[in-house]
Amino acid sequence: MAAVSEALRGHLAMLAFSALVAGSFSLGVMVANEIAPAALNAARFLIAGGVIGAAVLATRGFRREDYRAPWRFAVLGGLFAGYFVLMFYGLQTAAPVSAAAVFTLVPVMSAAFGWLLLRQITSGWMALALAIGAAGAVWVIVRGDFGTLLAFEIGKGEIIYFWGCVLHAIYTPMVRKLNRGEPALPFTFGMLVAGAAVLLVFGWSDITATDWSGLPFIVWIGLFYLAVCASSATFVLLQYATLRLPSAKVMAYTYLTPSWVILWEIALGRGAPPGMVLIGVAMSVVALAMLLEGDAKPQRAKA
């Protein structure tokens, strides 16, 4: 029973994760052209590190044993920092539809890296769920329009973003491989500090060239959402879930993100999508139900 409970907690963590990440797409569009990607993400990691650091102090405090082998945090921080930078560079030229379609490849790649790094096996049932989820997500992304789907093109921005998605897919199983029993909060703090250090070195020229005092107010709103909600909270949720679920199941929640984006867009007054899009939403829900059923089957078999 305890194993079932832990798995369900992991799924709930990823449900919250997908909703918060979706907000970063809607708000990120509003600030993407106002600040350099490296500068934005350096500030994002620094603010997120401060938030998580305060949480660590308020709970267990900083302990030396939580930060053994610091190279592990450099690897994880570098992977995630690289993903975010490549995402924003890719989105400078990639069309939103094609870039979002590239993002749906992450769960499949995560399953592959989960096998390479952890020997996690993706069952036929899970593979079917991933396929249904991917199809549903793409249908949502193209807003239920076959013409948009057929117009999909791969350009320079999509290629740049693809490599960022590869880093994201590697990150998920690497968390499980490199964690040595550290709780999610201190482990996340170590990753954020390392990621911030990488971004400070990589993006120093962009950081110093940015007129921070002259940035529009919407940039600060977007930055703090990205740092607190789409970074601090989601990093903890992702670390928590990856220690309880296989990598492919963790990243399967990527498929829910387009559906959450629809709700964000409606909330921001940008209108509802065509009714045909609901077919894709339903497919994403079916895929998640299949994954949850996949968790329950082994437990019933053991009973």
Side-chain angles (χ1 to χ4, degrees):
M1 188 66 181
V4 175
S5 177
E6 285 297 299
L8 288 176
R9 288 174 186 173
H11 284 290
L12 288 173
M14 289 310 299
L15 186 65
F17 170 91
S18 62
L20 292 173
V21 167
S24 69
F25 281 91
S26 294
L27 292 175
V29 168
M30 302 168 71
V31 304
N33 295 317
E34 303 290 342
I35 183 172
L40 172 67
N41 285 292
R44 173 188 194 171
F45 270 64
L46 286 171
I47 295 170
V51 172
I52 296 298
V56 173
L57 280 174
T59 53
R60 64 187 274 119
F62 291 101
R63 303 181 185 181
R64 181 173 295 181
E65 62 265 27
D66 290 338
Y67 301 101
R68 294 165 294 172
W71 63 268
R72 297 177 297 149
F73 301 105
V75 170
L76 294 174
L79 286 171
F80 229 30
Y83 163 73
F84 284 119
V85 170
L86 289 173
M87 180 183 79
F88 278 92
Y89 276 122
L91 289 175
Q92 288 180 343
T93 56
V97 170
S98 54
V102 172
F103 189 56
T104 62
L105 296 175
V106 171
V108 177
M109 292 191 292
S110 186
F113 285 117
W115 181 83
L116 287 172
L117 296 171
L118 302 172
R119 288 299 183 264
Q120 292 177 339
I121 298 175
T122 300
S123 66
W125 181 264
M126 189 188 299
L128 178 60
L130 290 173
I132 293 174
V138 170
W139 188 250
V140 171
I141 290 164
V142 301
R143 301 176 74 82
D145 182 6
F146 275 113
T148 302
L149 180 62
L150 293 175
F152 175 74
E153 296 180 359
I154 299 177
K156 179 180 178 181
E158 287 84 358
I159 294 173
I160 293 173
Y161 186 45
F162 170 79
W163 288 111
C165 289
V166 170
L167 297 182
H168 197 310
I170 296 173
Y171 174 83
T172 306
M174 284 298 286
V175 168
R176 193 159 186 162
K177 187 176 181 65
L178 297 182
N179 184 275
R180 297 182 180 178
E182 298 91 351
L185 278 175
F187 197 72
T188 301
F189 176 76
M191 183 276 291
L192 286 171
V193 169
V198 170
L199 288 167
L200 285 171
V201 172
F202 172 79
W204 186 250
S205 59
D206 286 335
I207 294 169
T208 55
T210 298
D211 180 13
W212 294 96
S213 62
L215 290 174
F217 186 61
I218 186 62
V219 173
W220 290 106
I221 293 176
L223 176 58
F224 275 91
Y225 179 87
L226 291 171
V228 178
C229 299
S231 295
S232 302
T234 58
F235 289 166
V236 173
L237 290 168
L238 185 60
Q239 311 282 28
Y240 183 89
T242 52
L243 298 177
R244 290 160 176 81
L245 299 171
S247 299
K249 291 191 179 185
V250 169
M251 295 318 300
Y253 278 85
T254 298
Y255 298 141
L256 266 191
T257 300
S259 301
W260 283 117
V261 169
I262 291 173
L263 296 179
W264 273 94
E265 294 294 292
I266 293 173
L268 291 172
R270 295 174 186 166
M276 288 290 288
V277 167
L278 296 179
I279 295 174
V281 174
M283 292 173 70
S284 299
V285 173
V286 168
L288 288 174
M290 290 175 66
L291 292 175
L292 288 169
E293 178 69 10
D295 276 339
K297 282 182 175 181
Q299 299 302 323
R300 287 199 295 266
K302 292 177 182 178

